[in-house]
Amino acid sequence: MVAGEDGWRVRVVFASAALTDWKFAHAGWLFVVGALCHPPDPETEVLTMVRSSLETWRWANEAAGR
């Protein structure tokens, strides 16, 4: 679960960094949240922090966007 929705994680490793994206849909929109980690960043800690942040997301109702 990502931000209360079913989602998936994609991780791409480059020569000098690692990019982790979480992709999920809500109300007909596709969202992508990513974290780019460069060594010596502690990747596990960064990803834990991002996941913790995503767990706090709350969606406004449709009327709030009008």
Coordinates of all heavy atoms in Angstrom, one line a residue:
M1 N 0.8 -1.2 0.0 CA 0.0 0.0 0.0 C 0.9 1.2 0.0 O 1.9 1.3 0.7 CB -0.9 0.0 1.2 CG -1.9 -1.1 1.3 SD -3.2 -1.1 0.1 CE -4.2 0.2 0.8
V2 N 0.5 2.2 -0.8 CA 1.2 3.5 -0.9 C 0.2 4.6 -0.8 O -0.8 4.6 -1.6 CB 2.0 3.6 -2.2 CG1 2.7 4.9 -2.3 CG2 2.9 2.5 -2.5
A3 N 0.3 5.4 0.2 CA -0.7 6.5 0.5 C -2.1 6.0 0.5 O -3.0 6.6 0.0 CB -0.5 7.6 -0.6
G4 N -2.3 4.8 1.0 CA -3.6 4.2 1.2 C -4.1 3.5 -0.1 O -5.2 3.1 -0.2
E5 N -3.3 3.4 -1.1 CA -3.7 2.8 -2.4 C -2.7 1.7 -2.7 O -1.6 1.6 -2.3 CB -3.6 3.9 -3.5 CG -4.5 5.1 -3.4 CD -6.0 4.8 -3.5 OE1 -6.3 3.7 -3.9 OE2 -6.8 5.7 -3.3
D6 N -3.3 0.7 -3.5 CA -2.4 -0.3 -4.1 C -1.3 0.4 -5.0 O -1.6 1.3 -5.7 CB -3.1 -1.3 -4.9 CG -4.0 -2.2 -4.0 OD1 -3.7 -2.4 -2.8 OD2 -5.1 -2.7 -4.5
G7 N -0.1 -0.1 -4.9 CA 0.9 0.5 -5.7 C 2.1 -0.5 -5.9 O 2.0 -1.6 -5.4
W8 N 3.1 0.0 -6.5 CA 4.3 -0.8 -6.7 C 5.6 0.1 -6.6 O 5.5 1.3 -6.8 CB 4.2 -1.6 -8.0 CG 4.2 -0.8 -9.3 CD1 5.3 -0.5 -10.1 CD2 3.1 -0.1 -9.9 NE1 4.9 0.3 -11.1 CE2 3.5 0.5 -11.1 CE3 1.7 -0.1 -9.6 CZ2 2.7 1.2 -11.9 CZ3 0.9 0.7 -10.4 CH2 1.4 1.3 -11.6
R9 N 6.7 -0.6 -6.4 CA 7.9 0.1 -6.2 C 8.9 -0.4 -7.4 O 8.9 -1.5 -7.7 CB 8.6 -0.3 -4.9 CG 9.9 0.4 -4.7 CD 10.5 0.0 -3.3 NE 11.1 -1.3 -3.5 CZ 11.8 -1.9 -2.6 NH1 12.0 -1.4 -1.4 NH2 12.3 -3.1 -2.8
V10 N 9.6 0.6 -7.9 CA 10.6 0.3 -9.0 C 11.9 0.9 -8.5 O 12.0 2.1 -8.1 CB 10.1 1.0 -10.3 CG1 11.2 0.8 -11.4 CG2 8.8 0.5 -10.7
R11 N 13.0 0.1 -8.6 CA 14.3 0.6 -8.2 C 15.2 0.5 -9.4 O 15.3 -0.6 -10.0 CB 14.8 -0.2 -7.0 CG 16.1 0.3 -6.5 CD 16.5 -0.5 -5.2 NE 17.6 0.1 -4.6 CZ 18.9 -0.4 -4.7 NH1 19.1 -1.5 -5.5 NH2 19.9 0.2 -4.1
V12 N 15.9 1.6 -9.7 CA 16.9 1.6 -10.8 C 18.2 2.0 -10.2 O 18.3 3.0 -9.5 CB 16.5 2.6 -11.9 CG1 17.5 2.7 -13.0 CG2 15.1 2.3 -12.4
V13 N 19.3 1.3 -10.5 CA 20.6 1.5 -9.9 C 21.4 2.1 -11.1 O 21.6 1.5 -12.1 CB 21.2 0.3 -9.4 CG1 22.6 0.6 -8.9 CG2 20.4 -0.3 -8.2
F14 N 22.0 3.3 -10.8 CA 22.9 3.9 -11.8 C 24.4 3.7 -11.2 O 24.6 3.3 -10.1 CB 22.6 5.4 -11.9 CG 21.2 5.7 -12.3 CD1 20.2 6.0 -11.4 CD2 20.9 5.6 -13.7 CE1 18.9 6.2 -11.9 CE2 19.6 5.8 -14.1 CZ 18.6 6.1 -13.2
A15 N 25.3 4.2 -12.0 CA 26.7 4.1 -11.5 C 27.0 4.8 -10.2 O 27.8 4.4 -9.4 CB 27.7 4.6 -12.6
S16 N 26.3 6.0 -10.1 CA 26.6 6.8 -8.9 C 25.4 7.1 -8.0 O 25.5 7.9 -7.1 CB 27.2 8.2 -9.4 OG 26.2 8.8 -10.1
A17 N 24.3 6.4 -8.2 CA 23.1 6.6 -7.4 C 22.1 5.5 -7.6 O 22.2 4.7 -8.5 CB 22.5 8.0 -7.8
A18 N 21.1 5.5 -6.7 CA 20.0 4.6 -6.8 C 18.7 5.4 -6.8 O 18.5 6.2 -5.9 CB 20.0 3.5 -5.7
L19 N 17.8 5.1 -7.7 CA 16.5 5.8 -7.7 C 15.4 4.8 -7.4 O 15.3 3.7 -8.0 CB 16.2 6.4 -9.1 CG 14.8 7.0 -9.3 CD1 14.6 8.2 -8.4 CD2 14.6 7.3 -10.8
T20 N 14.6 5.1 -6.4 CA 13.5 4.2 -6.0 C 12.2 5.1 -6.2 O 12.1 6.2 -5.6 CB 13.6 3.8 -4.5 OG1 14.8 3.1 -4.4 CG2 12.4 2.9 -4.2
D21 N 11.3 4.6 -7.0 CA 10.0 5.2 -7.2 C 8.9 4.3 -6.7 O 8.9 3.1 -6.8 CB 9.7 5.4 -8.7 CG 10.5 6.5 -9.4 OD1 10.9 7.4 -8.6 OD2 10.7 6.5 -10.6
W22 N 7.8 5.0 -6.2 CA 6.6 4.3 -5.8 C 5.5 4.9 -6.7 O 5.4 6.1 -6.8 CB 6.2 4.6 -4.3 CG 7.1 3.9 -3.4 CD1 7.0 2.7 -2.8 CD2 8.3 4.4 -2.8 NE1 8.0 2.4 -2.0 CE2 8.9 3.5 -1.9 CE3 9.0 5.6 -3.0 CZ2 10.0 3.7 -1.2 CZ3 10.2 5.8 -2.3 CH2 10.7 4.8 -1.4
K23 N 4.8 4.0 -7.4 CA 3.8 4.4 -8.3 C 2.4 3.9 -7.8 O 2.3 2.7 -7.4 CB 4.1 3.8 -9.7 CG 5.4 4.3 -10.2 CD 5.8 3.7 -11.5 CE 7.2 4.2 -11.9 NZ 7.5 3.9 -13.3
F24 N 1.4 4.8 -7.9 CA 0.1 4.4 -7.4 C -0.9 5.3 -8.0 O -0.6 6.4 -8.5 CB 0.0 4.5 -5.9 CG 0.5 5.8 -5.3 CD1 -0.5 6.8 -4.9 CD2 1.8 6.1 -5.1 CE1 0.0 8.0 -4.4 CE2 2.2 7.3 -4.6 CZ 1.3 8.3 -4.2
A25 N -2.2 4.8 -8.1 CA -3.3 5.6 -8.7 C -4.3 6.0 -7.6 O -4.5 5.2 -6.7 CB -3.9 4.8 -9.8
H26 N -4.9 7.1 -7.8 CA -6.0 7.6 -6.9 C -6.9 8.5 -7.7 O -6.5 9.4 -8.4 CB -5.4 8.4 -5.7 CG -6.4 8.9 -4.8 ND1 -7.0 8.1 -3.9 CD2 -7.0 10.1 -4.7 CE1 -7.9 8.8 -3.2 NE2 -7.9 10.0 -3.7
A27 N -8.2 8.2 -7.7 CA -9.2 9.0 -8.3 C -8.9 9.2 -9.8 O -9.1 10.3 -10.3 CB -9.5 10.3 -7.6
G28 N -8.4 8.2 -10.5 CA -8.1 8.4 -11.9 C -6.8 9.1 -12.3 O -6.5 9.3 -13.4
W29 N -6.0 9.4 -11.3 CA -4.7 10.0 -11.5 C -3.6 9.1 -11.1 O -3.7 8.3 -10.2 CB -4.6 11.3 -10.6 CG -5.5 12.4 -11.1 CD1 -6.8 12.6 -10.8 CD2 -5.1 13.5 -11.9 NE1 -7.2 13.7 -11.4 CE2 -6.2 14.3 -12.1 CE3 -3.9 13.9 -12.5 CZ2 -6.2 15.5 -12.8 CZ3 -3.9 15.0 -13.2 CH2 -5.0 15.8 -13.4
L30 N -2.5 9.1 -11.9 CA -1.3 8.3 -11.5 C -0.3 9.2 -10.8 O 0.0 10.3 -11.3 CB -0.7 7.7 -12.8 CG 0.6 6.9 -12.6 CD1 0.3 5.7 -11.8 CD2 1.2 6.6 -13.9
F31 N 0.2 8.7 -9.7 CA 1.2 9.5 -8.9 C 2.5 8.7 -8.9 O 2.5 7.5 -8.8 CB 0.7 9.7 -7.5 CG -0.5 10.6 -7.4 CD1 -1.8 10.1 -7.6 CD2 -0.4 12.0 -7.2 CE1 -2.9 10.9 -7.5 CE2 -1.5 12.8 -7.1 CZ -2.8 12.2 -7.3
V32 N 3.6 9.4 -8.8 CA 4.9 8.8 -8.7 C 5.7 9.6 -7.6 O 5.7 10.8 -7.8 CB 5.7 8.8 -10.0 CG1 7.1 8.1 -9.8 CG2 4.9 8.0 -11.1
V33 N 6.2 8.9 -6.6 CA 7.0 9.6 -5.6 C 8.3 8.8 -5.6 O 8.4 7.6 -5.6 CB 6.3 9.4 -4.2 CG1 7.3 10.0 -3.1 CG2 5.0 10.2 -4.2
G34 N 9.4 9.6 -5.7 CA 10.7 9.0 -5.8 C 11.7 9.5 -4.8 O 11.6 10.6 -4.3
A35 N 12.7 8.7 -4.6 CA 13.9 9.1 -3.7 C 15.1 8.7 -4.5 O 15.3 7.6 -4.9 CB 13.8 8.4 -2.4
L36 N 16.0 9.7 -4.6 CA 17.3 9.5 -5.3 C 18.4 9.5 -4.2 O 18.5 10.5 -3.5 CB 17.6 10.6 -6.3 CG 18.8 10.5 -7.1 CD1 18.8 9.2 -8.0 CD2 19.0 11.7 -8.0
C37 N 19.1 8.4 -4.1 CA 20.1 8.3 -3.1 C 21.5 8.2 -3.7 O 21.7 7.4 -4.6 CB 19.9 7.1 -2.2 SG 18.4 7.1 -1.3
H38 N 22.4 9.1 -3.3 CA 23.8 9.1 -3.7 C 24.7 8.6 -2.6 O 24.5 9.1 -1.4 CB 24.3 10.5 -4.1 CG 23.6 11.1 -5.2 ND1 23.9 10.9 -6.5 CD2 22.5 11.9 -5.3 CE1 23.1 11.6 -7.3 NE2 22.2 12.2 -6.6
P39 N 25.6 7.6 -2.8 CA 26.5 7.3 -1.7 C 27.3 8.5 -1.3 O 27.6 9.3 -2.1 CB 27.4 6.3 -2.4 CG 26.6 5.8 -3.6 CD 25.8 6.9 -4.0
P40 N 27.5 8.7 0.0 CA 27.3 7.7 1.1 C 26.0 7.8 1.8 O 25.9 7.5 3.0 CB 28.5 8.0 2.0 CG 28.6 9.5 1.9 CD 28.3 9.8 0.4
D41 N 24.9 8.4 1.2 CA 23.6 8.5 1.8 C 23.2 7.1 2.3 O 23.4 6.1 1.6 CB 22.5 8.9 0.8 CG 22.7 10.4 0.4 OD1 23.5 11.1 1.1 OD2 22.1 10.8 -0.5
P42 N 22.7 7.0 3.5 CA 22.2 5.7 4.0 C 20.9 5.4 3.4 O 19.8 5.8 3.8 CB 22.1 6.0 5.5 CG 21.8 7.4 5.6 CD 22.5 8.1 4.5
E43 N 20.9 4.6 2.3 CA 19.7 4.4 1.4 C 18.6 3.8 2.3 O 17.4 4.2 2.1 CB 20.1 3.4 0.3 CG 18.9 3.2 -0.7 CD 19.3 2.4 -1.9 OE1 20.4 1.9 -2.0 OE2 18.4 2.3 -2.8
T44 N 18.9 2.8 3.1 CA 17.8 2.2 3.9 C 17.1 3.2 4.8 O 15.9 3.2 4.9 CB 18.4 1.1 4.8 OG1 19.0 0.1 4.0 CG2 17.3 0.4 5.6
E45 N 17.8 4.1 5.4 CA 17.2 5.2 6.2 C 16.4 6.1 5.4 O 15.3 6.6 5.8 CB 18.3 5.9 7.0 CG 19.0 5.1 8.1 CD 20.1 5.9 8.8 OE1 20.0 7.1 8.8 OE2 21.0 5.2 9.3
V46 N 16.9 6.5 4.2 CA 16.1 7.4 3.3 C 14.8 6.8 2.9 O 13.8 7.4 3.0 CB 17.0 7.8 2.1 CG1 16.2 8.6 1.1 CG2 18.2 8.6 2.5
L47 N 14.9 5.5 2.5 CA 13.7 4.9 2.0 C 12.7 4.7 3.2 O 11.4 4.8 3.0 CB 14.0 3.5 1.4 CG 14.9 3.6 0.1 CD1 15.1 2.3 -0.5 CD2 14.3 4.6 -0.9
T48 N 13.1 4.4 4.3 CA 12.3 4.3 5.5 C 11.6 5.6 5.8 O 10.4 5.7 6.1 CB 13.0 3.8 6.7 OG1 13.6 2.5 6.5 CG2 12.2 3.8 8.0
M49 N 12.3 6.7 5.7 CA 11.7 8.0 5.9 C 10.7 8.4 4.8 O 9.6 8.9 5.2 CB 12.8 9.1 5.9 CG 12.3 10.5 6.1 SD 13.6 11.7 6.3 CE 14.8 11.3 5.0
V50 N 10.9 8.0 3.6 CA 9.9 8.3 2.5 C 8.7 7.4 2.7 O 7.6 7.9 2.7 CB 10.5 8.0 1.1 CG1 9.5 8.1 0.0 CG2 11.7 8.9 0.8
R51 N 8.9 6.1 3.1 CA 7.7 5.3 3.3 C 6.9 5.8 4.5 O 5.6 5.8 4.5 CB 8.1 3.8 3.6 CG 8.6 3.0 2.4 CD 7.5 2.9 1.4 NE 6.3 2.4 1.9 CZ 5.6 1.4 1.3 NH1 6.0 0.8 0.3 NH2 4.4 1.1 1.8
S52 N 7.5 6.3 5.5 CA 6.8 6.9 6.7 C 6.1 8.1 6.3 O 4.9 8.3 6.7 CB 7.8 7.2 7.8 OG 8.4 6.1 8.3
S53 N 6.6 8.9 5.4 CA 5.9 10.1 4.9 C 4.7 9.7 4.1 O 3.6 10.3 4.3 CB 6.8 11.0 4.1 OG 7.9 11.4 4.8
L54 N 4.8 8.7 3.3 CA 3.7 8.3 2.5 C 2.5 7.8 3.3 O 1.4 7.9 2.9 CB 4.1 7.2 1.4 CG 5.0 7.8 0.3 CD1 5.6 6.6 -0.5 CD2 4.2 8.7 -0.6
E55 N 2.9 7.2 4.4 CA 1.8 6.6 5.3 C 1.0 7.8 6.0 O -0.1 7.5 6.4 CB 2.4 5.8 6.4 CG 3.0 4.4 5.8 CD 3.7 3.6 6.9 OE1 3.7 4.0 8.1 OE2 4.3 2.6 6.5
T56 N 1.5 9.0 6.0 CA 0.7 10.1 6.6 C -0.2 10.8 5.6 O -0.9 11.7 6.0 CB 1.7 11.1 7.2 OG1 2.4 11.8 6.1 CG2 2.7 10.5 8.2
W57 N -0.1 10.5 4.3 CA -0.9 11.1 3.3 C -2.4 10.9 3.5 O -2.8 9.9 3.9 CB -0.6 10.6 1.9 CG 0.7 11.1 1.3 CD1 1.8 11.6 1.9 CD2 1.0 11.3 -0.1 NE1 2.8 12.0 1.0 CE2 2.3 11.8 -0.2 CE3 0.3 11.0 -1.3 CZ2 2.9 12.1 -1.4 CZ3 0.9 11.3 -2.5 CH2 2.2 11.8 -2.6
R58 N -3.1 12.0 3.3 CA -4.6 12.0 3.4 C -5.1 12.7 2.2 O -4.6 13.7 1.8 CB -5.1 12.7 4.7 CG -4.6 12.1 6.0 CD -5.1 10.7 6.2 NE -4.6 10.1 7.4 CZ -3.6 9.2 7.4 NH1 -2.9 8.9 6.3 NH2 -3.2 8.7 8.5
W59 N -6.1 12.1 1.5 CA -6.6 12.6 0.3 C -7.8 13.5 0.6 O -8.7 13.2 1.4 CB -7.1 11.5 -0.6 CG -6.0 10.6 -1.0 CD1 -5.7 9.4 -0.4 CD2 -5.0 10.8 -2.0 NE1 -4.6 8.8 -1.0 CE2 -4.1 9.7 -2.0 CE3 -4.7 11.9 -2.9 CZ2 -3.0 9.6 -2.9 CZ3 -3.6 11.7 -3.7 CH2 -2.8 10.6 -3.7
A60 N -7.7 14.7 0.0 CA -8.9 15.7 0.1 C -10.0 15.1 -0.7 O -9.8 14.5 -1.7 CB -8.4 17.1 -0.3
N61 N -11.2 15.4 -0.4 CA -12.3 15.0 -1.2 C -12.4 15.8 -2.5 O -11.7 16.9 -2.6 CB -13.6 15.0 -0.4 CG -14.0 16.5 0.0 OD1 -13.7 17.4 -0.7 ND2 -14.7 16.6 1.1
E62 N -13.1 15.3 -3.5 CA -13.2 16.0 -4.8 C -13.7 17.4 -4.7 O -13.2 18.3 -5.4 CB -14.1 15.2 -5.7 CG -13.4 13.9 -6.2 CD -14.3 13.2 -7.2 OE1 -15.0 13.9 -8.0 OE2 -14.3 12.0 -7.2
A63 N -14.6 17.7 -3.8 CA -15.1 19.1 -3.6 C -14.0 20.1 -3.2 O -14.1 21.2 -3.6 CB -16.3 19.1 -2.6
A64 N -13.0 19.6 -2.5 CA -11.9 20.5 -2.1 C -11.1 21.1 -3.3 O -10.6 22.1 -3.1 CB -11.0 19.8 -1.1
G65 N -11.1 20.4 -4.4 CA -10.3 20.8 -5.5 C -11.1 21.8 -6.5 O -10.6 22.2 -7.4
R66 N -12.4 22.0 -6.2 CA -13.2 22.9 -7.0 C -13.2 24.3 -6.6 O -13.1 24.7 -5.5 CB -14.6 22.3 -7.1 CG -14.6 21.0 -7.7 CD -16.0 20.5 -7.9 NE -15.9 19.1 -8.4 CZ -16.8 18.2 -8.2 NH1 -17.9 18.5 -7.5 NH2 -16.7 17.0 -8.7

